[in-house]
Amino acid sequence: MTPKLKAVARIPTTYSECDQTEKAYQKQQAIFVARKRAIGGARDKPMRFVKNIGLGLKTPNSAIEGNFVDKKCPFTGNVSIRGSILKGIIISTKMKRTIVVRRDYLHYVKKYRRFEKRHGNLPAHCSPAFTVKEGDIVTLGQCRPLSKTVRFNVVAHEPQRVIQGKKSFRVF
């Protein structure tokens, strides 16, 4: 019988400066940057705040090992996922950290006893933990309002397999 190996912590215990691309200094809310080193055998706390959002969704490695700061990220920021979980196809990535997701569905018309195709576009916040492009399938989780129109956050990402048109109908 082989002994079970302990999971190696991937979270850094020494501070490394986050990506500074904004005018203001970027740091995670929950991390104190200027802490002094512990003398003796005190255990080191991690220098990156990462949480498990639950719902059976795994925290991506890029969020754990990454160097970005995003206060609206469900894994490293101050946003909780609650409410509905949706799936859709990305149709636009032109905004900074925001994507537009197309959701296709069928609507029943009682008079003709048939279904008609409909769709809705949904803006969602996309954390730098995910590298997405148009045509990818994403899973969205509902959260508090992040801006005027954004109420959803990307929690999982599947890369595009087959190249399709932008407006092709696909039900999940």
Side-chain angles (χ1 to χ4, degrees), residues 4-13 61 64-65:
K4 291 186 178 181
L5 298 172
K6 286 187 178 180
V8 179
R10 297 174 297 183
I11 302 171
T13 54
N61 290 337
I64 297 169
E65 299 162 354

mmCIF file with all atom_site columns, all heavy atoms in Angstrom, residues 4-13 61 64-65:
data_model
loop_
_atom_site.group_PDB
_atom_site.id
_atom_site.type_symbol
_atom_site.label_atom_id
_atom_site.label_alt_id
_atom_site.label_comp_id
_atom_site.label_asym_id
_atom_site.label_entity_id
_atom_site.label_seq_id
_atom_site.pdbx_PDB_ins_code
_atom_site.Cartn_x
_atom_site.Cartn_y
_atom_site.Cartn_z
_atom_site.occupancy
_atom_site.B_iso_or_equiv
_atom_site.pdbx_formal_charge
_atom_site.auth_seq_id
_atom_site.auth_comp_id
_atom_site.auth_asym_id
_atom_site.auth_atom_id
_atom_site.pdbx_PDB_model_num
ATOM 1   N N   . LYS A 1 4  ? -0.594 8.000  1.421   1.00 0.00 ? 4  LYS A N   1
ATOM 2   C CA  . LYS A 1 4  ? -1.182 9.157  0.732   1.00 0.00 ? 4  LYS A CA  1
ATOM 3   C C   . LYS A 1 4  ? -0.269 10.368 0.896   1.00 0.00 ? 4  LYS A C   1
ATOM 4   O O   . LYS A 1 4  ? 0.193  10.673 1.988   1.00 0.00 ? 4  LYS A O   1
ATOM 5   C CB  . LYS A 1 4  ? -2.567 9.471  1.298   1.00 0.00 ? 4  LYS A CB  1
ATOM 6   C CG  . LYS A 1 4  ? -3.577 8.413  0.954   1.00 0.00 ? 4  LYS A CG  1
ATOM 7   C CD  . LYS A 1 4  ? -4.944 8.824  1.410   1.00 0.00 ? 4  LYS A CD  1
ATOM 8   C CE  . LYS A 1 4  ? -5.967 7.775  1.022   1.00 0.00 ? 4  LYS A CE  1
ATOM 9   N NZ  . LYS A 1 4  ? -7.309 8.135  1.433   1.00 0.00 ? 4  LYS A NZ  1
ATOM 10  N N   . LEU A 1 5  ? -0.036 11.026 -0.208  1.00 0.00 ? 5  LEU A N   1
ATOM 11  C CA  . LEU A 1 5  ? 0.810  12.218 -0.183  1.00 0.00 ? 5  LEU A CA  1
ATOM 12  C C   . LEU A 1 5  ? -0.018 13.437 0.174   1.00 0.00 ? 5  LEU A C   1
ATOM 13  O O   . LEU A 1 5  ? -1.167 13.566 -0.255  1.00 0.00 ? 5  LEU A O   1
ATOM 14  C CB  . LEU A 1 5  ? 1.464  12.428 -1.552  1.00 0.00 ? 5  LEU A CB  1
ATOM 15  C CG  . LEU A 1 5  ? 2.396  11.314 -2.019  1.00 0.00 ? 5  LEU A CG  1
ATOM 16  C CD1 . LEU A 1 5  ? 2.809  11.575 -3.454  1.00 0.00 ? 5  LEU A CD1 1
ATOM 17  C CD2 . LEU A 1 5  ? 3.607  11.232 -1.133  1.00 0.00 ? 5  LEU A CD2 1
ATOM 18  N N   . LYS A 1 6  ? 0.560  14.323 0.955   1.00 0.00 ? 6  LYS A N   1
ATOM 19  C CA  . LYS A 1 6  ? -0.131 15.566 1.298   1.00 0.00 ? 6  LYS A CA  1
ATOM 20  C C   . LYS A 1 6  ? -0.147 16.491 0.095   1.00 0.00 ? 6  LYS A C   1
ATOM 21  O O   . LYS A 1 6  ? 0.794  16.517 -0.688  1.00 0.00 ? 6  LYS A O   1
ATOM 22  C CB  . LYS A 1 6  ? 0.569  16.271 2.464   1.00 0.00 ? 6  LYS A CB  1
ATOM 23  C CG  . LYS A 1 6  ? 0.345  15.601 3.789   1.00 0.00 ? 6  LYS A CG  1
ATOM 24  C CD  . LYS A 1 6  ? 0.927  16.451 4.888   1.00 0.00 ? 6  LYS A CD  1
ATOM 25  C CE  . LYS A 1 6  ? 0.671  15.837 6.234   1.00 0.00 ? 6  LYS A CE  1
ATOM 26  N NZ  . LYS A 1 6  ? 1.231  16.638 7.316   1.00 0.00 ? 6  LYS A NZ  1
ATOM 27  N N   . ALA A 1 7  ? -1.217 17.245 -0.030  1.00 0.00 ? 7  ALA A N   1
ATOM 28  C CA  . ALA A 1 7  ? -1.315 18.205 -1.134  1.00 0.00 ? 7  ALA A CA  1
ATOM 29  C C   . ALA A 1 7  ? -0.334 19.347 -0.890  1.00 0.00 ? 7  ALA A C   1
ATOM 30  O O   . ALA A 1 7  ? -0.286 19.914 0.200   1.00 0.00 ? 7  ALA A O   1
ATOM 31  C CB  . ALA A 1 7  ? -2.733 18.748 -1.234  1.00 0.00 ? 7  ALA A CB  1
ATOM 32  N N   . VAL A 1 8  ? 0.453  19.650 -1.886  1.00 0.00 ? 8  VAL A N   1
ATOM 33  C CA  . VAL A 1 8  ? 1.440  20.718 -1.777  1.00 0.00 ? 8  VAL A CA  1
ATOM 34  C C   . VAL A 1 8  ? 0.726  22.050 -1.977  1.00 0.00 ? 8  VAL A C   1
ATOM 35  O O   . VAL A 1 8  ? -0.011 22.226 -2.944  1.00 0.00 ? 8  VAL A O   1
ATOM 36  C CB  . VAL A 1 8  ? 2.563  20.542 -2.825  1.00 0.00 ? 8  VAL A CB  1
ATOM 37  C CG1 . VAL A 1 8  ? 3.574  21.662 -2.731  1.00 0.00 ? 8  VAL A CG1 1
ATOM 38  C CG2 . VAL A 1 8  ? 3.219  19.188 -2.657  1.00 0.00 ? 8  VAL A CG2 1
ATOM 39  N N   . ALA A 1 9  ? 0.962  22.983 -1.062  1.00 0.00 ? 9  ALA A N   1
ATOM 40  C CA  . ALA A 1 9  ? 0.327  24.294 -1.159  1.00 0.00 ? 9  ALA A CA  1
ATOM 41  C C   . ALA A 1 9  ? 0.935  25.060 -2.328  1.00 0.00 ? 9  ALA A C   1
ATOM 42  O O   . ALA A 1 9  ? 2.147  25.215 -2.415  1.00 0.00 ? 9  ALA A O   1
ATOM 43  C CB  . ALA A 1 9  ? 0.515  25.072 0.133   1.00 0.00 ? 9  ALA A CB  1
ATOM 44  N N   . ARG A 1 10 ? 0.060  25.518 -3.223  1.00 0.00 ? 10 ARG A N   1
ATOM 45  C CA  . ARG A 1 10 ? 0.529  26.269 -4.381  1.00 0.00 ? 10 ARG A CA  1
ATOM 46  C C   . ARG A 1 10 ? 0.480  27.761 -4.139  1.00 0.00 ? 10 ARG A C   1
ATOM 47  O O   . ARG A 1 10 ? 0.920  28.538 -4.947  1.00 0.00 ? 10 ARG A O   1
ATOM 48  C CB  . ARG A 1 10 ? -0.337 25.933 -5.598  1.00 0.00 ? 10 ARG A CB  1
ATOM 49  C CG  . ARG A 1 10 ? -0.245 24.488 -5.993  1.00 0.00 ? 10 ARG A CG  1
ATOM 50  C CD  . ARG A 1 10 ? -1.206 24.186 -7.078  1.00 0.00 ? 10 ARG A CD  1
ATOM 51  N NE  . ARG A 1 10 ? -2.564 24.401 -6.579  1.00 0.00 ? 10 ARG A NE  1
ATOM 52  C CZ  . ARG A 1 10 ? -3.664 24.175 -7.262  1.00 0.00 ? 10 ARG A CZ  1
ATOM 53  N NH1 . ARG A 1 10 ? -3.590 23.736 -8.480  1.00 0.00 ? 10 ARG A NH1 1
ATOM 54  N NH2 . ARG A 1 10 ? -4.852 24.378 -6.746  1.00 0.00 ? 10 ARG A NH2 1
ATOM 55  N N   . ILE A 1 11 ? -0.098 28.174 -3.017  1.00 0.00 ? 11 ILE A N   1
ATOM 56  C CA  . ILE A 1 11 ? -0.241 29.591 -2.721  1.00 0.00 ? 11 ILE A CA  1
ATOM 57  C C   . ILE A 1 11 ? 1.096  30.116 -2.203  1.00 0.00 ? 11 ILE A C   1
ATOM 58  O O   . ILE A 1 11 ? 1.684  29.532 -1.294  1.00 0.00 ? 11 ILE A O   1
ATOM 59  C CB  . ILE A 1 11 ? -1.353 29.828 -1.680  1.00 0.00 ? 11 ILE A CB  1
ATOM 60  C CG1 . ILE A 1 11 ? -2.669 29.261 -2.219  1.00 0.00 ? 11 ILE A CG1 1
ATOM 61  C CG2 . ILE A 1 11 ? -1.498 31.298 -1.352  1.00 0.00 ? 11 ILE A CG2 1
ATOM 62  C CD1 . ILE A 1 11 ? -3.781 29.229 -1.214  1.00 0.00 ? 11 ILE A CD1 1
ATOM 63  N N   . PRO A 1 12 ? 1.609  31.208 -2.759  1.00 0.00 ? 12 PRO A N   1
ATOM 64  C CA  . PRO A 1 12 ? 2.914  31.711 -2.331  1.00 0.00 ? 12 PRO A CA  1
ATOM 65  C C   . PRO A 1 12 ? 2.888  32.233 -0.891  1.00 0.00 ? 12 PRO A C   1
ATOM 66  O O   . PRO A 1 12 ? 1.912  32.831 -0.459  1.00 0.00 ? 12 PRO A O   1
ATOM 67  C CB  . PRO A 1 12 ? 3.215  32.848 -3.317  1.00 0.00 ? 12 PRO A CB  1
ATOM 68  C CG  . PRO A 1 12 ? 1.896  33.237 -3.868  1.00 0.00 ? 12 PRO A CG  1
ATOM 69  C CD  . PRO A 1 12 ? 1.026  32.021 -3.817  1.00 0.00 ? 12 PRO A CD  1
ATOM 70  N N   . THR A 1 13 ? 3.964  31.959 -0.144  1.00 0.00 ? 13 THR A N   1
ATOM 71  C CA  . THR A 1 13 ? 4.067  32.451 1.231   1.00 0.00 ? 13 THR A CA  1
ATOM 72  C C   . THR A 1 13 ? 4.931  33.698 1.324   1.00 0.00 ? 13 THR A C   1
ATOM 73  O O   . THR A 1 13 ? 4.963  34.354 2.359   1.00 0.00 ? 13 THR A O   1
ATOM 74  C CB  . THR A 1 13 ? 4.660  31.374 2.153   1.00 0.00 ? 13 THR A CB  1
ATOM 75  O OG1 . THR A 1 13 ? 5.890  30.929 1.600   1.00 0.00 ? 13 THR A OG1 1
ATOM 76  C CG2 . THR A 1 13 ? 3.696  30.207 2.283   1.00 0.00 ? 13 THR A CG2 1
ATOM 77  N N   . ASN A 1 61 ? -6.333 27.024 -11.466 1.00 0.00 ? 61 ASN A N   1
ATOM 78  C CA  . ASN A 1 61 ? -4.931 27.167 -11.054 1.00 0.00 ? 61 ASN A CA  1
ATOM 79  C C   . ASN A 1 61 ? -4.410 28.572 -11.315 1.00 0.00 ? 61 ASN A C   1
ATOM 80  O O   . ASN A 1 61 ? -3.582 29.077 -10.559 1.00 0.00 ? 61 ASN A O   1
ATOM 81  C CB  . ASN A 1 61 ? -4.052 26.151 -11.791 1.00 0.00 ? 61 ASN A CB  1
ATOM 82  C CG  . ASN A 1 61 ? -4.316 24.743 -11.324 1.00 0.00 ? 61 ASN A CG  1
ATOM 83  O OD1 . ASN A 1 61 ? -4.809 24.533 -10.220 1.00 0.00 ? 61 ASN A OD1 1
ATOM 84  N ND2 . ASN A 1 61 ? -4.014 23.782 -12.168 1.00 0.00 ? 61 ASN A ND2 1
ATOM 85  N N   . ILE A 1 64 ? -5.087 30.697 -8.353  1.00 0.00 ? 64 ILE A N   1
ATOM 86  C CA  . ILE A 1 64 ? -4.273 30.377 -7.176  1.00 0.00 ? 64 ILE A CA  1
ATOM 87  C C   . ILE A 1 64 ? -2.840 30.856 -7.367  1.00 0.00 ? 64 ILE A C   1
ATOM 88  O O   . ILE A 1 64 ? -2.265 31.500 -6.489  1.00 0.00 ? 64 ILE A O   1
ATOM 89  C CB  . ILE A 1 64 ? -4.292 28.860 -6.910  1.00 0.00 ? 64 ILE A CB  1
ATOM 90  C CG1 . ILE A 1 64 ? -5.719 28.410 -6.577  1.00 0.00 ? 64 ILE A CG1 1
ATOM 91  C CG2 . ILE A 1 64 ? -3.348 28.479 -5.782  1.00 0.00 ? 64 ILE A CG2 1
ATOM 92  C CD1 . ILE A 1 64 ? -5.909 26.920 -6.553  1.00 0.00 ? 64 ILE A CD1 1
ATOM 93  N N   . GLU A 1 65 ? -2.271 30.561 -8.524  1.00 0.00 ? 65 GLU A N   1
ATOM 94  C CA  . GLU A 1 65 ? -0.864 30.864 -8.770  1.00 0.00 ? 65 GLU A CA  1
ATOM 95  C C   . GLU A 1 65 ? -0.658 32.198 -9.473  1.00 0.00 ? 65 GLU A C   1
ATOM 96  O O   . GLU A 1 65 ? 0.472  32.628 -9.658  1.00 0.00 ? 65 GLU A O   1
ATOM 97  C CB  . GLU A 1 65 ? -0.257 29.747 -9.627  1.00 0.00 ? 65 GLU A CB  1
ATOM 98  C CG  . GLU A 1 65 ? -0.310 28.400 -8.956  1.00 0.00 ? 65 GLU A CG  1
ATOM 99  C CD  . GLU A 1 65 ? -0.114 27.246 -9.924  1.00 0.00 ? 65 GLU A CD  1
ATOM 100 O OE1 . GLU A 1 65 ? -0.060 27.512 -11.144 1.00 0.00 ? 65 GLU A OE1 1
ATOM 101 O OE2 . GLU A 1 65 ? -0.037 26.112 -9.461  1.00 0.00 ? 65 GLU A OE2 1
#
